[in-house]
Every structure is written in structure tokens, then in C-alpha cells.
Amino acid sequence: AKAGVNVVWFPPPSSSADEHGYLPGKWYEIPHKSNLRKAVSAAEANGVVSMVDVVLNHRTGTKISDNSNDWTKFEGPDWGEWAIVDNDWKCEPEDKLKFCPDNCTCGRADTGENACYAPDIDHTNKRVQADVEQWLKWLRKHLGFQAFRFDNTKGYAAHFTAQYIFASNPWMSVGEYFDTNRGLIEEWLTGSKMASKLFDFGLRYKLKDSIRGDDYAPLKDEWFGPMIQYAKDHSVTFLDNHDTAGELNDRFGSEAQIEQGYAFLLTHPGVPCIFWQDWTGPLQETLKALLEVRKKAQIHSLSKWKIQMAQKGIYAGFVDDTLAIKLGTGSWSPNSGLETRLWQGVANGNGWAVWMRMSKDELAKAAKQAAAAGA
């Protein structure tokens, strides 16, 4: 918290068919519950809000059902095939089979994309809705989580996310909508009644390509680029997460490229995230310095962003007319062409630099020093 971090993310807490928690079974069965509560309490005591990952698109059954002869009997809360969408296809080589066969009393059709690795939940069912709302309230009341990350929000209609947020009233929520298409993202935001933020995959991938190629033109892409261009109040920016650094094997880049990426994220609008592996690695002091710059310049999620230059070898931009940022191998300074030096360098590193606009007092002091030196 002292460094400027005010939210910490926790993975899905429930018992799960996988080791990471993304195939949850019994929602209320929490392994290591005591240690989890201690961690959340410690974060709260230090002024940090705890965000929990909630997986609502699908569940894994804990017993074999007599109806389907498959793992479609759920416990805690207790559901049957009626809670599974009726068009939920399995993964290859069983992609011709459904989790809820036609001879069962299945739910309605899926309202989102199919997830073939586990039974998809029918969110149109009133009992399912009530159980989800109760579960989210329980996470807040009994475990102390005050913010939610909604996993795989492409799997069910956006308005259900809004319903669950309004019912549980978290301090903050962010959805994982794994796409860069502006039209689809804006459609989801509208469908969710603007109740949740989204991870800015458009910025992540355009920034990654720009830094790796030392060509920053992709940052100007208005249709598959940064959300901070068109929905910055709903943008949560990031370089890596458990997916990109895990099964996807798609890390942002080398240490120098990651450093350059954070020089952008921590000086620009949106709500920036720092990947835990980066925070605990050799870049921590650089990250602290950038967080201090962000705090001193009072940069926030709605700060104004102006691209001055985005081309081969150089990105140059201004944020709130308070910070100037340069990335790339090219040379650029916000003071170039000015009769009076207005910008003072406050941080720099491998392929990046940040300047802050000097205050009136700082400008007066600099003028006196220049006059004294001239005398």
C-alpha cells in the first residue's frame, strides 16, 4: 500500500478438479480457509483490498448422475442437469457428446460461448441466479473479499454479470473478456450496464507488438487497440497474468521489454496491474519509482492521453499535460524546440524516459539558476 498498490488478486478459492481453481466443484468447500482469511485480513490491515477470482461460467460435478451417467451432480450448492445448458458440447475426442444428454431435463440454451472442458451453467435459471448471488455475498461476508474478477465473461450474457454485481455490491469488479474487438467490447460493456471494468487485452497485445518490434504505430489502432482510447474508465491494463505466463506461454517479453511496458502502463490512464512475478523480481525498485511518479503527477484512470508520435523507433505521448513519456530506440524530448525548458526528467530506463511538467515555482527557480550561471 505504501508503494501505491491498493488491490491484491486471489485465485478461485473453492475446491476444484484442477490445481488452480478454475474447475470449481463445491463452492463453499474452501481449502486452507484459515490461511486465506489471515491473508485477506492482513491485506485489509495494510489498506489493500482483496479481489477474488470467481468462476461462474461452469462447474464440475462431484458425483455421477443416474440420469446422464456422467459427472453432472453438483453439491454445495446442490444442482442437477437442470442447471446445465442444453447445448454444452464436450472437448475432442468427445465433441459429439453433450454434458447434458437430450434424454435429460437440461436447462435452456447457452447465452454465451461454449466451454468444452466442464458443464456450462444455465444463468437463465432463477435458482442458479439466486445461488450465485448468495455465493458472492458469502465471499464478501465470510472471507472478506471486497472485489471480484469475473472469469471468462464471454461464456454467458453480459447482463447476468450486471445482475450479480448489483446484488453483491463489490467495491470493484473486472471481467475477463478475452478479445480485442472494439465492437464486441463496447457491446459487452453496454450489456453489463457499465457495471464492471474489463481487462484491456487490446492494449496488452498492441503494446507487446510495439515494444518487441520497436514500432509503435499499432498503439493508434482504433478498432483492435487500447481500450484507453475509447473506454478508459472501464479499462484495467496489464502486461501478464496467470494465463499468459502459464498455459499460453506468452510472456510479454524480456526483462527490458517488460520494464518498458510498465513505464507505459504506470504513467497512463486505466487501472494498471502489476504481475506478482514482476513485483517480486528485479524490477521492483523501478516499479516503485514509476508508482511514485504516478502518485505525484496525480495520474488516474480517467487521465487525458495524447499521442504525440507513434512510429518506427519511437512513441511519445502526454498524459494530463503533466507527464511526457518516451519509449523506443529513437530520440525525443518534450523540451525540444522550446525557448524555456518546461519539463524535468523524473525517471528513465532501458528504452524509456518520463518527464514531469515543472511547476511555476520550479520554473522560477530554474530561471534564477540559469541567470546566476550566466552572470
Side-chain angles (χ1 to χ4, degrees):
K2 292 180 180 179
V5 176
N6 52 20
V7 180
V8 62
W9 167 85
F10 286 82
S14 304
S15 60
S16 175
D18 75 320
E19 62 178 331
H20 303 296
Y22 289 94
L23 294 174
K26 298 179 180 179
W27 284 354
Y28 294 92
E29 185 174 88
I30 312 294
H32 315 295
K33 181 190 289 186
S34 177
N35 288 337
L36 183 58
R37 281 177 170 168
K38 290 179 182 177
V40 172
S41 296
E44 183 179 1
N46 285 279
V48 177
V49 172
S50 294
M51 171 181 286
V52 65
D53 210 323
V54 288
V55 182
L56 302 179
N57 176 68
H58 52 270
R59 280 184 76 190
T60 53
T62 52
K63 290 184 178 180
I64 295 178
S65 168
D66 293 334
N67 298 324
S68 65
N69 198 33
D70 204 345
W71 295 90
T72 56
K73 190 172 183 178
F74 306 92
E75 298 176 291
D78 297 345
W79 296 346
E81 286 82 11
W82 54 264
I84 304 174
V85 297
D86 66 3
N87 57 339
D88 190 20
W89 301 97
K90 297 185 176 183
C91 300
E92 293 183 350
E94 298 182 303
D95 53 320
K96 303 300 181 183
L97 301 176
K98 295 191 292 186
F99 281 105
C100 188
D102 292 334
N103 64 329
C104 294
T105 307
C106 309
R108 296 180 181 179
D110 205 337
T111 59
E113 293 184 357
N114 179 63
C116 67
Y117 41 80
D120 284 8
I121 294 172
D122 178 15
H123 287 273
T124 68
N125 186 286
K126 295 297 183 182
R127 180 171 167 186
V128 167
Q129 294 173 13
D131 284 344
V132 169
E133 292 171 8
Q134 182 178 343
W135 160 238
L136 296 178
K137 292 175 183 177
W138 187 89
L139 287 171
R140 292 199 60 195
K141 181 178 180 180
H142 294 278
L143 294 185
F145 292 111
Q146 301 303 323
F148 297 136
R149 173 198 183 270
F150 290 95
D151 181 66
N152 189 17
T153 59
K154 289 184 119 180
Y156 50 99
H159 66 86
F160 293 117
T161 299
Q163 176 181 335
Y164 300 144
I165 290 172
F166 294 147
S168 57
N169 194 32
W171 175 78
M172 175 187 173
S173 63
V174 56
E176 179 199 38
Y177 191 87
F178 209 131
D179 212 304
T180 64
N181 185 302
R182 176 174 177 172
L184 295 176
I185 290 169
E186 290 182 324
E187 182 180 344
W188 191 92
L189 289 172
T190 300
S192 67
K193 301 179 181 179
M194 302 294 182
S196 175
K197 298 180 185 296
L198 286 178
F199 287 108
D200 196 337
F201 284 96
L203 175 59
R204 193 263 176 181
Y205 285 106
K206 294 301 181 182
L207 185 60
K208 174 173 171 279
D209 292 345
S210 295
I211 291 175
R212 287 191 173 194
D214 194 32
D215 185 349
Y216 298 85
L219 290 174
K220 296 186 291 185
D221 190 332
E222 295 182 0
W223 294 105
F224 297 93
M227 280 179 63
I228 58 173
Q229 284 191 357
Y230 60 89
K232 58 188 174 184
D233 52 335
H234 285 82
S235 166
V236 174
T237 59
F238 72 105
L239 300 186
D240 278 309
N241 59 25
H242 59 284
D243 289 321
T244 62
E247 291 185 1
L248 295 180
N249 192 27
D250 183 35
R251 271 295 249 155
F252 188 83
S254 65
E255 182 178 313
Q257 291 166 339
I258 291 171
E259 178 183 337
Q260 197 177 137
Y262 281 118
F264 185 98
L265 249 62
L266 297 178
T267 57
H268 283 67
V271 179
C273 297
I274 298 174
F275 188 46
W276 183 254
Q277 188 173 324
D278 297 332
W279 179 254
T280 57
L283 292 178
Q284 186 174 116
E285 292 307 312
T286 298
L287 295 173
K288 286 182 178 179
L290 286 166
L291 285 168
E292 182 61 29
V293 169
R294 184 181 184 87
K295 181 179 179 181
K296 185 176 180 180
Q298 298 182 341
I299 303 303
H300 52 84
S301 62
L302 297 177
S303 289
K304 296 178 182 179
W305 175 36
K306 177 185 177 183
I307 297 178
Q308 185 73 12
M309 195 181 301
Q311 60 189 42
K312 184 67 177 178
I314 192 164
Y315 160 80
F318 293 95
V319 179
D320 276 351
D321 199 31
T322 304
L323 290 183
I325 304 95
K326 193 276 294 189
L327 305 180
T329 56
S331 177
W332 180 85
S333 169
N335 290 308
S336 297
L338 299 179
E339 292 184 5
T340 303
R341 179 171 169 268
L342 300 178
W343 300 85
Q344 183 176 18
V346 290
N348 64 81
N350 191 349
W352 64 273
V354 180
W355 296 260
M356 186 177 296
R357 189 179 184 91
M358 289 190 282
S359 65
K360 291 182 180 180
D361 289 342
E362 289 172 331
L363 287 171
K365 182 178 180 180
K368 288 182 179 179
Q369 291 175 340

